[in-house]
Amino acid sequence: MDKGARRRRLWPAVLAAVGMVIGGGGVADAGSGHHHPPRGTSFYVEPDSNAARQAAAWRQEGRVEDARLMEAVAKQPTAIWFTTAGAEQVRTRVRDVVRAAKRKGQVPVLVAYFVPYRDCSQWSAGGALSEQEYREWIDAFAAGIGNDKAVVIVEPDGLALLTSEPWCTIGPDEELVPQRYREINHAVDTLKRGRQTRVYLDAGHSAWQALNDYDAGYGEPREQQGIVNRLMRGGVARADGFALNTSNYRFTADLVQYGTRISKCLYLRTHRGATTCPADAELDALRVDERRMTHFVLDTSRNGQGHYTPGEGETDWCNPPGRGLGERPTARTRIPLVDAFLWIKRPGESDGECQGGPPAGQWWPEQALDLAKRATPPLR
């Protein structure tokens, strides 16, 4: 089936399911103090990105069409990731990016990715060596922003991938899971002291965690928390919302449906006294309340062709072939509760040493070009 056609057919059903009404940019819940990027927000475009340098190199080599595509990629705002140790270093680097964006009248999207036991020791393993080191690091991160404008994505996979996952051999869970929640809560509270910092907790994607707690069906512990309980324990009520699809490939329509159900369930849990999420049909029938329901942002950097169906020995998340760039970054989504489409994952940076890719985070020009060629909508 043509995936573009599938994507177009999904939108009417999804918009009906979320109780579609136009608007929501720049709204604030008077009772919560949450603020969301105004629809006219211009996100920061890094002037010396990998895509920009690659375009220049290809143009010099005479690869004119490839250079044109990379130039189009380089014009798009992408998130800046902070992943390495050193409180003073991260303070300086964050401050430099924030100031550069301010000079251009733009808002930077920053990713804090330094939580201990990051990625359960997979391709993106690393992070702080202790809870105290993480606290000092995130304090410095927040100090680098100060009271200037910034959007911060807090810890990709930090809530969706806990050490309690049955396949994750890091432990003991009874110590490390509460520690993770303390770290995420500290990040929220510290970052929200900035008067113009918008904070979104990463919450995985639409094909990962269930809304309610569930039985994993294998391993120990089998009982796992659903994403709603994880977000609640992570302090989402004090953040500006959550983020979906970071570094993944899920269709935007699927993400909108999943994210809206999360938001509605959070509302029922926090405002209506519910103890669990009701069935999907009941959630879909509940009207969207933009002022009381939690907002979210989507990573559309590589979901233009949607997710990949893996063959034997493959995964659907680590450098899958045949993917494409998705919706361009904007705060004008025209979708209730969706504050922005963002390019959180930087297109062309590898997911890890799989499918012929270099180590995680390294520039891979061949993949960048393939994503650009398959962009949906096409690059101009």
Side-chain angles (χ1 to χ4, degrees):
M1 179 187 295
D2 172 64
K3 291 181 178 176
R6 175 180 182 273
R7 178 177 175 275
R8 288 189 293 273
R9 285 196 293 271
L10 270 173
W11 273 113
V14 171
L15 298 182
V18 302
M20 179 65 170
V21 289
I22 301 300
V27 301
D29 180 345
S32 70
H34 299 171
H35 298 271
H36 312 287
R39 282 176 288 180
T41 298
S42 175
F43 295 112
Y44 177 58
V45 178
E46 191 179 17
D48 188 31
S49 64
N50 284 320
R53 290 193 294 270
Q54 192 67 63
W58 280 344
R59 191 165 288 282
Q60 189 172 17
E61 294 169 10
R63 295 174 59 174
V64 177
E65 180 57 24
D66 293 345
R68 185 193 66 79
L69 285 171
M70 277 302 98
E71 287 164 354
V73 173
K75 291 177 182 177
Q76 299 301 321
T78 56
I80 312 295
W81 289 59
F82 299 86
T83 65
T84 55
E88 188 55 41
Q89 291 90 329
V90 78
R91 179 189 290 107
T92 300
R93 289 188 58 226
V94 168
R95 184 185 62 217
D96 290 347
V97 171
V98 169
R99 288 179 176 177
K102 187 176 182 178
R103 286 193 295 270
K104 298 176 70 173
Q106 297 177 335
V107 177
V109 179
L110 314 175
V111 181
Y113 192 46
F114 194 59
V115 75
Y117 309 106
R118 185 176 71 198
D119 201 32
C120 263
S121 296
Q122 297 184 102
W123 297 118
S124 297
L129 299 180
S130 68
E131 183 176 355
Q132 182 60 32
E133 183 186 3
Y134 183 73
R135 284 173 170 264
E136 294 172 358
W137 187 89
I138 205 71
D139 289 352
F141 190 110
I145 299 172
N147 287 316
D148 287 321
K149 294 179 180 179
V151 171
V152 181
I153 310 301
V154 175
E155 298 300 335
D157 299 347
L159 293 176
L161 180 51
L162 299 171
T163 60
S164 59
E165 298 297 317
W167 57 266
C168 183
T169 58
I170 299 172
D173 296 332
E174 62 271 16
E175 295 179 12
L176 297 184
V177 172
Q179 176 184 321
R180 174 64 58 81
Y181 285 127
R182 289 195 303 269
E183 291 158 349
I184 300 296
N185 274 272
H186 180 74
V188 171
D189 291 337
T190 302
L191 290 163
K192 282 304 296 175
R193 292 190 191 114
R195 290 197 297 268
Q196 300 187 88
T197 304
R198 307 295 172 248
V199 178
Y200 296 87
L201 301 187
D202 191 86
H205 59 74
S206 55
W208 195 348
Q209 297 292 349
L211 270 62
N212 286 316
D213 297 355
Y214 61 96
D215 183 344
Y218 73 100
E220 290 294 337
R222 286 180 54 150
E223 290 298 318
Q224 296 290 313
Q225 291 181 332
I227 196 61
V228 170
N229 269 333
R230 296 182 192 217
L231 282 167
M232 291 176 69
R233 291 189 64 183
V236 73
R238 302 188 310 281
D240 295 289
F242 57 92
L244 293 176
N245 206 46
T246 299
S247 299
N248 214 276
Y249 303 86
R250 298 287 151 178
F251 279 111
T252 297
D254 297 337
L255 297 165
V256 171
Q257 184 179 65
Y258 178 65
T260 303
R261 287 171 176 170
I262 291 173
S263 295
K264 290 178 176 181
C265 183
L266 285 168
Y267 168 75
L268 294 174
R269 294 284 304 274
T270 58
H271 288 73
R272 298 284 186 87
T275 56
T276 62
C277 303
D280 289 346
E282 185 175 340
L283 287 172
D284 293 344
L286 181 65
R287 186 171 179 80
V288 167
D289 185 334
E290 291 192 73
R291 293 191 174 275
R292 295 186 180 182
M293 291 180 180
T294 307
H295 288 221
F296 55 100
V297 296
L298 303 179
D299 184 354
T300 59
S301 59
R302 304 184 300 176
N303 73 344
Q305 298 292 329
H307 54 273
Y308 178 64
T309 301
E312 186 175 354
E314 295 181 315
T315 70
D316 61 358
W317 59 267
C318 193
N319 297 326
R323 302 308 90 199
L325 303 174
E327 298 281 354
R328 306 301 104 87
T330 181
R332 295 181 181 273
T333 70
R334 298 176 65 83
I335 303 172
L337 305 180
V338 181
D339 284 347
F341 299 143
L342 302 174
W343 282 11
I344 301 174
K345 175 68 176 184
R346 297 163 67 83
E349 293 188 0
S350 176
D351 292 318
E353 295 178 77
C354 51
Q355 299 281 13
Q362 288 195 14
W363 176 247
W364 189 7
E366 293 81 10
Q367 185 196 64
L369 182 59
D370 195 47
L371 288 167
K373 288 179 176 180
R374 300 173 186 271
T376 304
L379 286 171
R380 294 175 181 171

